[in-house]
Amino acid sequence: MAEVSVNRAWRLRRRPVGAVVPGDLELVSESAAPLRDGQALVRTLVLSVEAASRIWMGHQRAFMPPVGLGEVMRGVGVGEVVESRREDMKVGDIVAGFVGWQEFCCADDQRLEAPLSVLPSPLPAPVSAFVGILGHTAITAYLGVDLLQPRPGQTVVVSAAAGGVGSIAGQLAKLRGARVVGIAGGPAKCRHVVDDLGFDACVDRKDPAWPARLDAALPDGVDLDFENAGGPILDHLLMRLNLNATILLCGEVTQYNDTGERTAWHGLVNIDQIHMQRATMRGIIVTDHLDRWPEALGALGQLWASGQLTYDETVVPGLDQAPTALTSLLAGHTTGKLIITVAEPTTIPGHPLTTG
Ligand SMILES: NC(=O)c1ccc[n+]([C@@H]2O[C@H](COP(=O)([O-])OP(=O)(O)OC[C@H]3O[C@@H](n4cnc5c(N)ncnc54)[C@H](OP(=O)(O)O)[C@@H]3O)[C@@H](O)[C@H]2O)c1
């Protein structure tokens, strides 16, 4: 192995109860194992911090198994290959996928369940774009909106509207001609959603009068709901559904700071409205649709390049900040896609790390 002998990695020490606190994860420095045939060493450049990171720390029944205690925290990112004993990866390749919350990962060609994919060369956009507007975040929005099929005359609601997924979902629904109402936390975020992202309206979920304000923003009811939050807001929206409405469950961020018990909130009281309004509620997981990623990336790239999509990032420097960045995301303190910068690329020196 070349010069890399030490890796720094966040390992899960205990399952958080509620918000992540110091001690739930530990940043450890450990020796990096020498590469074997079929392996490549990848230096992490940027990490995506996302709501699902909190799910993976808990014991919820979810779309992927929880991270085991003692394991390196699961995380998506972009890295550069700095050493290789793999036929299909060469030094200097830029790769994306599950690199983990660590400085270096080993890309093993036997790890078939979540292989890292090699990005085009030369890299056509800043590194961070490949977990954001040109990565799984925006692809989730694209596929979700495509499933909802909004059209002129319909009203679409998007929760967590200023966040990574929601900001793109709302803009895509707007591009299809629908009226789009966002829900976000705080007046500044709501202004951003309307003024910068072009939504028709945005309701502040932190305003105690949010139920009445949401009703006022939905004079024609709800045809389509791109649901990122779940919880009481979704329950309220159920009472505003139009006949044959569709709810796309993309996420339920209200429930991710798992306390181990479901005591704080008792579920969807208005679930009968799915029946009464002959509505459809369905879930989506972006990695179930890998076959459609090239199409999604083509469309998103074109819309972004032509200025029809606005894409924002909140950038936090340093691997050390990963747990606090996640807490900040779940508390609603970030806007757009949350990125952690870990290292400057050495194999493509000077290439921008982030889009800002
Ligand atoms: N299905 C998939 O394949 C897939 C893939 C990626 C992401 N997702 C989902 O997409 C959603 C957004 O994820 P992201 O990573 O892009 O995060 P994000 O939207 O950038 O950040 C999460 C946002 O959730 C909102 N929030 C936090 N607590 C809330 C509460 N109690 N009630 C309502 N809103 C609350 C906050 O926004 P405000 O304070 O502005 O409300 C916060 O900014 C999540 O539900 C995530 O699980 C799904």
Side-chain angles (χ1 to χ4, degrees), residues 13-150:
R13 289 300 177 215
R14 62 181 181 222
R15 304 217 176 275
V17 178
V20 174
V21 295
D24 291 340
L25 294 117
E26 184 187 7
L27 185 58
V28 293
S29 295
E30 47 200 23
S31 329
L35 290 187
R36 296 193 311 265
D37 286 343
Q39 294 183 332
L41 187 68
V42 174
R43 183 201 310 270
T44 307
L45 302 177
V46 300
L47 278 176
S48 158
V49 176
E50 49 206 292
S53 311
R54 178 63 188 83
I55 304 181
W56 296 328
M57 292 176 187
H59 33 42
Q60 291 104 320
R61 184 174 177 224
F63 60 95
M64 289 180 94
V67 173
L69 292 180
E71 286 179 9
V72 173
M73 182 55 205
R74 182 182 296 138
V76 177
V78 181
E80 62 181 350
V81 177
V82 293
E83 190 187 344
S84 183
R85 291 178 66 177
R86 275 179 73 149
E87 294 291 313
D88 57 346
M89 274 186 196
K90 60 181 190 313
V91 170
D93 280 348
I94 304 296
V95 295
F98 286 98
V99 296
W101 285 15
Q102 57 187 343
E103 286 176 339
F104 293 93
C105 77
C106 174
D108 193 315
D109 63 6
Q110 297 303 305
R111 203 179 79 183
L112 301 177
E113 74 284 4
L116 297 177
S117 51
V118 178
L119 298 177
S121 174
L123 203 61
V127 174
S128 60
F130 295 92
V131 290
I133 187 68
L134 301 177
H136 67 294
T137 305
I139 296 175
T140 303
Y142 175 91
L143 294 177
V145 170
D146 194 55
L147 208 138
L148 288 173
Q149 293 281 317

Side-chain angles (χ1 to χ4, degrees), residues 49-52 55 136-137 140 160-166 183-185 189 205-206 228-229 233 249-254 256 284-287 329-334 336-338:
V49 176
E50 49 206 292
I55 304 181
H136 67 294
T137 305
T140 303
V165 173
I183 300 169
K189 272 192 177 182
R205 70 173 176 90
K206 293 183 175 164
N228 289 317
I233 296 173
L249 290 178
C250 176
E252 303 77 28
V253 70
T254 48
Y256 293 172
I284 186 174
I285 295 294
V286 66
T287 44
L329 175 111
L330 292 173
H333 297 157
T334 63
K337 177 69 205 158
L338 178 55

Side-chain angles (χ1 to χ4, degrees), residues 2-21:
E3 73 284 3
V4 177
S5 56
V6 174
N7 182 29
R8 286 195 319 144
W10 281 104
R11 289 190 179 272
L12 187 64
R13 289 300 177 215
R14 62 181 181 222
R15 304 217 176 275
V17 178
V20 174
V21 295

